[in-house]
Amino acid sequence: MNYREARGCIDEANRFGHEMGLGAVTALLEEMGNPQQTLACIHIAGTNGKGSVGAHMASALAKAGYRVGRFVSPTLYGYRERIQINENWISEEDFAACMEVSWAAVQRVLAAGKSCPSPFEIETALSFYYYKEKKCDFVILECGMGGATDATNVVSRTLLAVITSISLDHMEYLGDTLEEIAENKAGILKPGAVLVTGRQEPVVAHTLARISGERGNRLVTACPGEARVLASDMDGQRFVYRGFEAAIRLAGEHQVDNAVLAIEALWELRRLGYTMTDEQIRAGMAATVWKGRLTRLRREPDFIVDGAHNPDAAQRLKDALEKYYAGHKPVFLMGIYRDKQVDEICRIMAPMAKEIYTIETPGDMRALPAGELADRAALYNPAVYACGSLEEGVQKSCAAAGANGVVAAFGSLSFIGPLTRIVEKTR
């Protein structure tokens, strides 16, 4: 099997119906010898910040000499980005070899009359097999959505359950209230694991404390309010947290929150007996790159991309733009999924814009048409224009901003990859 054929297996799996729950992925993994049971896992759930926390932790652990697998969801720049070891994507050859094993197991599952795993479940199982074969010391797992019934929640050896900021998102699947969503995400908590969390709404903090207490898991809470920021701009930030000084490349106050959560989780691993010096943690934090999150792609004008796709993330983006570009009225390039809280995102963001250009994420059935998004944004700002393509949106938003202005592109992670390639060609 070559890489093209391996990718074809994922397309083939899309033709089958898929059941909710963990039954299908559990059956698949049993056919593969349950590779996930051998892995020492750091499991990350939350609404926003999972990728940033995971990136910081993976970088620091690699600096400490560990072999770190990382399962990323969603991806921005390429399919193989989702399965990494020490920041290196899985090779096409390794992906094809692992798919041969995984797809043979899928066929045995089907022959037994069981449900076909979904593409995400197959990718998850394949990654577990890969990490086992490559003898990873740690695997950092990002939940795709939720926690309790996410395909990643079949692991048994969870060292840390890390829960990032929780807000309202995916409510059709996870629940209508913050408490229900928090309960779902806390489903990743396994016996003996330490729950590490940070700044949360009071009802979320109470829910996590209750669940960890009921299950007998130790709870560690990071306190980003204790972080003192020494310097902050679009190129990165320096801060001191509980006597520990660190520098990060990621902009935005929320990224200090994420970094503090990562630091607490790394300290907790050290308490569990894993060797890591302060300098290795510091070096890992300073080296971390996590593109697509308040990332500047070019200057004249400054062109910022951010994956803000829910109201909480939109508010954080708004706060960052007001901080780093005080006195400027930014131009927006927006593309949002139809199943997101479109009107609330528009309410938060649209009034601050000089002009807004809307696009439809190319080739994505979930994308809201550019014209409909423009109509909804126009309720909060009349200077809204629908574009027929990403290229048109980039050209018109840059022209509207002018050399001394700023463009912020946001609303969905799915168009950041192609958008980045377009912007880099126009510099």
Side-chain angles (χ1 to χ4, degrees):
M1 182 181 290
N2 59 32
Y3 180 67
R4 180 182 58 80
E5 292 166 338
R7 287 292 302 274
C9 292
I10 296 296
D11 296 334
E12 176 74 10
N14 260 322
R15 298 195 306 109
F16 297 90
H18 306 296
E19 64 178 25
M20 293 294 290
L22 300 178
V25 69
T26 298
L28 174 59
L29 285 163
E30 287 175 351
E31 289 291 339
M32 296 173 66
N34 285 316
Q36 79 284 2
Q37 293 181 357
T38 69
L39 305 174
C41 296
I42 298 159
H43 207 169
I44 306 180
T47 307
N48 296 310
K50 296 188 296 293
S52 300
V53 172
H56 281 303
M57 293 190 69
S59 181
L61 288 168
K63 291 291 185 184
Y66 293 105
R67 190 171 181 81
V68 186
R70 187 162 170 238
F71 187 69
V72 178
S73 177
T75 60
L76 303 186
Y77 297 103
Y79 178 82
R80 292 180 292 112
E81 179 186 0
R82 69 195 61 221
I83 302 172
Q84 307 178 15
I85 295 178
N86 287 10
E87 300 185 25
N88 295 309
W89 298 6
I90 187 172
S91 69
E92 292 187 357
E93 293 76 16
D94 280 338
F95 184 85
C98 292
M99 182 57 81
E100 278 199 39
V101 174
S102 304
W103 195 244
V106 169
Q107 300 312 305
R108 294 194 295 273
V109 166
L110 293 176
K114 300 176 183 178
S115 296
C116 181
S118 70
F120 183 74
E121 289 169 331
I122 294 171
E123 291 159 356
T124 302
L126 184 153
S127 76
F128 292 150
Y129 180 81
Y130 176 65
Y131 298 138
K132 178 186 176 183
E133 290 296 297
K134 296 299 182 179
K135 297 179 170 56
C136 288
D137 299 302
F138 297 98
V139 173
I140 296 177
L141 290 173
E142 291 180 36
C143 288
M145 181 177 66
T149 58
D150 188 78
T152 61
N153 201 30
V154 291
V155 295
S156 55
R157 192 181 164 204
T158 302
L159 303 175
L160 304 180
V162 181
I163 298 186
T164 66
S165 170
I166 290 177
S167 59
L168 296 174
D169 200 7
H170 298 297
M171 291 177 287
E172 66 274 31
Y173 301 107
L174 305 181
D176 296 325
T177 68
L178 285 174
E179 183 175 13
E180 289 174 334
I181 294 172
E183 288 178 347
N184 188 298
K185 293 182 186 293
I188 65 171
L189 196 55
K190 299 294 191 300
V194 179
L195 174 59
V196 186
T197 190
R199 193 194 304 268
Q200 302 284 6
E201 293 292 333
V203 65
V204 172
H206 175 77
T207 300
L208 296 179
R210 172 179 59 79
I211 291 172
S212 61
E214 290 171 351
R215 299 183 184 179
N217 297 87
R218 192 154 69 85
L219 172 64
V220 173
T221 302
C223 299
E226 295 182 22
R228 180 166 54 91
V229 177
L230 306 176
S232 179
D233 58 29
M234 278 299 301
D235 295 316
Q237 305 179 84
R238 283 192 307 113
F239 63 92
V240 177
Y241 176 66
R242 294 180 174 174
F244 180 84
E245 183 172 340
I248 59 174
R249 297 186 183 186
L250 307 183
E253 181 180 342
H254 60 289
Q255 293 295 0
V256 174
D257 287 15
N258 293 331
V260 164
L261 179 54
I263 289 168
E264 283 284 3
L266 291 165
W267 286 347
E268 194 54 39
L269 284 177
R270 202 157 57 182
R271 293 186 192 102
L272 293 175
Y274 294 95
T275 303
M276 217 179 323
T277 67
D278 279 354
E279 190 50 47
Q280 287 166 338
I281 295 175
R282 192 173 288 111
M285 304 290 286
T288 300
V289 175
W290 191 228
K291 295 181 179 179
R293 281 74 175 178
L294 206 62
T295 301
R296 181 168 52 202
L297 298 181
R298 59 166 284 180
R299 298 179 186 268
E300 296 183 351
D302 278 15
F303 198 108
I304 311 299
V305 293
D306 189 80
H309 59 282
N310 54 51
D312 184 58
Q315 184 63 53
R316 293 179 178 196
L317 174 59
K318 178 177 182 287
D319 292 343
L321 291 172
E322 289 176 340
K323 176 177 181 177
Y324 297 128
Y325 294 98
H328 288 77
K329 286 188 72 68
V331 174
F332 288 162
L333 182 59
M334 295 173 59
I336 305 178
Y337 280 166
R338 64 174 71 248
D339 56 357
K340 295 297 181 180
Q341 294 173 266
V342 178
D343 295 321
E344 182 64 8
I345 294 171
C346 289
R347 183 193 67 78
I348 292 167
M349 297 298 298
M352 75 179 300
K354 175 184 176 184
E355 294 180 10
I356 300 172
Y357 294 86
T358 62
I359 56 95
E360 180 177 345
T361 304
D364 199 322
M365 294 181 63
R366 292 173 62 195
L368 189 67
E372 185 176 341
L373 177 55
D375 289 342
R376 292 166 77 168
L379 296 174
Y380 304 94
N381 187 325
V384 184
Y385 311 94
C387 296
S389 66
L390 278 176
E391 289 84 355
E392 180 186 349
V394 169
Q395 181 183 30
K396 289 187 173 179
S397 60
C398 287
N404 297 319
V406 56
V407 177
F410 67 94
S412 172
L413 288 164
S414 64
F415 69 80
I416 287 180
L419 180 69
T420 298
R421 290 186 281 272
I422 292 168
V423 173
E424 288 179 343
K425 288 179 181 177
T426 61
R427 281 197 287 188

